[in-house]
């Protein structure tokens, strides 16, 4: 991905840099020294702390958000002949997993202002075959929760909270919207374990199934097999996956979780500075739902000649990102479903969205520099 590229180049402001404090390193070192490197006590601790923070009963730690989404679909019984509604403004892996279970992704366009799935369109897309809806809290702006639940009319919603651990909607935290929620601890996300993810739910049976499937479908994990109570035989109940998170990563996750709210405050301040400087000059992505809290994961602007602006900014020492080129326009999906031209809002955004750096290690001065370079790019390209 090259996200940290330029980290060694003098004066290059990378698109993202995770905050790794001495305390985080200490936590990882302790986990390594403990001798338990695979899933055991630290994972249990991380699951409990994370689930509590997002308001869910159960947390199932996995090695990516993609794995969490995959397991959520399987646990909901989604399979061949089924349809899953999603928007094309998401990371491709969230759609890949629909293909993995043999179901058909049904793409629904997004709202123009916050690029979250358009719940009015969802209503029209629901058929007898619809088995799930995957909804993203895009860039950290919460999806339109109540309207979506209304439109879903009982179809389970899987929330993709890869950008939105901290989102709140009418006082409800991200794990309290009902259904199943998938989180990411990838290197660029609001908290990181390097690679990692979590599935949360209030449904105990679903959590149990996800726990089984994340480790081969095996009845006993390593802790049960090799822990203090002596060796025990295990069985395979159904062929599962190798999706478990290790204790070293869980230790980092736990340490990061403790800083998450302070980091959000920093991003809010950076976001405010961007908006102040760009107001009336460059359109910025903004959610507009009352009584909600955003997670401020990305700062997205809409610009003409996006790819030229991007190249210019990179050459001027500012790392940028693109979230996202519409999934239905990516080669595999384009060839298979031939939907180009049918989702105008997503397609318009696909060519114009540009993500500016937004992370706690940045200063307000960095924001001013990014804006100067962006404005220079816009006059020159
Ligand atoms: C990052 C991301 C994912 C995938 O997360 P991984 O942990 O890398 O699997 C899924 N959905 C969205 C919206 C993302 O941004």
């Amino acid at each position: 991905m090259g996200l940290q590229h330029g980290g060694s180049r003098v004066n290059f402001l990378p698109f993202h840099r995770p905050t790794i404090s001495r305390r985080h390193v200490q936590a990882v070192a302790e986990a390594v020294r403990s001798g338990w490197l695979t899933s055991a006590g630290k994972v249990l601790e991380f699951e409990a702390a994370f689930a509590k923070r997002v308001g869910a009963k159960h947390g199932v730690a996995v090695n990516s958000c993609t794995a969490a989404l995959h397991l959520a679909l399987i646990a909901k019984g989604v399979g061949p002949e089924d349809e899953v509604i999603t928007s094309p403004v998401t990371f491709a892996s969230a759609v890949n997993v629909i293909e993995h279970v043999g179901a058909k992704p049904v793409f629904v366009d997004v709202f123009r202002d916050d690029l979250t799935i358009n719940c009015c369109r969802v209503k029209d897309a629901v058929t007898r075959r619809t088995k799930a809806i995957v909804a993203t809290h895009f860039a950290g702006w919460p999806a339109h929760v109540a309207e979506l639940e209304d439109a879903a009319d009982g179809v389970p919603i899987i929330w993709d909270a890869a950008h939105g651990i901290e989102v709140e909607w009418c006082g409800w935290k991200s794990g309290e919207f009902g259904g199943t929620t998938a989180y990411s601890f990838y290197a660029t996300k609001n908290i990181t374990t390097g690679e990692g993810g979590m599935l949360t739910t209030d449904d105990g049976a679903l959590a149990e199934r996800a726990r089984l499937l994340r480790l081969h479908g095996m009845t006993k994990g390593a802790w049960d097999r090799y822990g203090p109570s002596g060796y025990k035989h295990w069985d395979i109940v159904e062929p599962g996956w190798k999706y478990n998170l290790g204790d070293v990563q869980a230790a980092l996750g736990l340490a990061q979780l403790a800083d998450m709210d302070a980091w959000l405050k920093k991003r809010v301040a950076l976001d405010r500075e961007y908006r102040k400087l760009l107001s009336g000059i460059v359109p910025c992505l903004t959610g507009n739902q009352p009584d909600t809290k955003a997670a401020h994961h990305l700062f997205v602007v809409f610009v003409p000649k996006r790819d030229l602006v991007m190249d210019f900014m990179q050459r001027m020492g500012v790392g940028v990102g693109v979230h996202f080129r519409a999934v239905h326009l990516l080669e595999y999906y384009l060839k298979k479903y031939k939907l180009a031209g049918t989702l105008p809002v997503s397609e318009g955004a696909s060519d114009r969205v540009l993500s500016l750096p937004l992370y706690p290690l940045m200063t307000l001065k960095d924001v001013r520099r990014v804006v100067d370079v962006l404005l220079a790019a816009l006059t020159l390209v």
Side-chain angles (χ1 to χ4, degrees), residues 94-283:
V95 187
N96 288 347
V97 292
I98 300 171
E99 294 279 321
H100 290 332
V101 298
K104 179 185 170 194
V106 173
F107 293 103
V108 166
D109 216 349
V110 291
F111 284 121
R112 206 171 288 277
D113 50 358
D114 62 14
L115 301 183
T116 65
I117 195 164
N118 184 330
C119 26
C120 315
R121 299 277 158 80
V122 167
K123 210 167 227 152
D124 301 332
V126 173
T127 71
R128 258 186 322 111
R129 296 192 163 169
T130 311
K131 282 288 168 62
I133 297 168
V134 180
T136 304
H137 302 308
F138 181 69
W141 299 104
H144 296 237
V145 174
E147 291 101 319
L148 201 53
E149 274 165 359
D150 231 27
D153 197 21
V155 173
I157 301 176
I158 298 166
W159 305 99
D160 180 343
H163 298 178
I165 307 172
E166 310 94 323
V167 301
E168 285 184 27
W169 193 92
C170 294
W172 301 96
K173 297 200 271 293
S174 64
E176 293 179 315
F177 302 159
T180 320
T181 311
Y183 299 89
S184 176
F185 312 128
Y186 179 66
T188 58
K189 302 289 158 82
N190 290 354
I191 64 169
T192 185
T193 60
E195 302 283 357
M198 186 86 71
L199 179 153
T200 65
T201 179
D202 284 351
D203 179 340
L206 192 145
E208 263 329 290
R209 182 105 197 280
R211 285 210 165 92
L212 188 78
L213 292 177
R214 79 174 159 185
L215 193 66
H216 311 301
M218 230 171 162
T219 47
K220 287 181 170 57
W223 181 250
D224 304 312
R225 283 179 282 133
Y226 302 106
S229 54
Y231 189 87
K232 304 230 177 49
H233 283 302
W234 47 268
D235 214 338
I236 293 289
V237 191
E238 60 178 310
W241 282 265
K242 175 68 181 178
Y243 279 170
N244 59 311
L245 189 78
D247 259 30
V248 177
Q249 284 160 302
L252 179 56
L254 262 173
Q256 292 250 312
L257 189 61
D259 291 323
M260 189 173 77
D261 293 315
W263 290 341
L264 173 59
K265 285 204 181 100
K266 288 203 167 176
R267 291 197 306 278
V268 166
L270 299 168
D271 181 290
R272 195 175 299 133
E273 185 74 3
Y274 270 130
R275 277 173 211 283
K276 193 179 88 193
L277 298 171
L278 292 171
S279 163
I281 308 174
V282 178

Side-chain angles (χ1 to χ4, degrees), residues 64-66 69 90-91 93-94 136 160 162-163 184 186 189 196 324:
S64 71
C65 177
T66 306
L69 291 166
T90 188
F91 183 56
S93 77
T136 304
D160 180 343
H163 298 178
S184 176
Y186 179 66
K189 302 289 158 82
F324 293 99

Side-chain angles (χ1 to χ4, degrees), residues 279-318:
S279 163
I281 308 174
V282 178
C284 306
L285 182 88
T286 313
N288 62 2
Q289 299 183 79
D291 202 11
T292 57
K293 278 193 191 144
H296 297 278
H297 173 58
L298 298 171
F299 194 88
V300 176
V301 292
F302 298 88
V303 295
K305 299 189 207 157
R306 191 263 322 279
D307 290 356
L308 292 177
V309 169
M310 191 163 75
D311 290 345
F312 179 91
M313 291 185 75
Q314 296 273 159
R315 280 203 310 277
M316 295 300 285
V318 171

Side-chain angles (χ1 to χ4, degrees), residues 328-351:
H328 71 291
L329 301 181
L330 302 177
E331 184 178 328
Y332 172 85
Y333 294 100
L334 187 66
K335 283 188 179 151
K336 185 163 181 186
Y337 297 107
K338 303 183 176 64
L339 291 172
T342 64
L343 300 157
V345 183
S346 302
E347 289 171 27
S350 185
D351 290 335

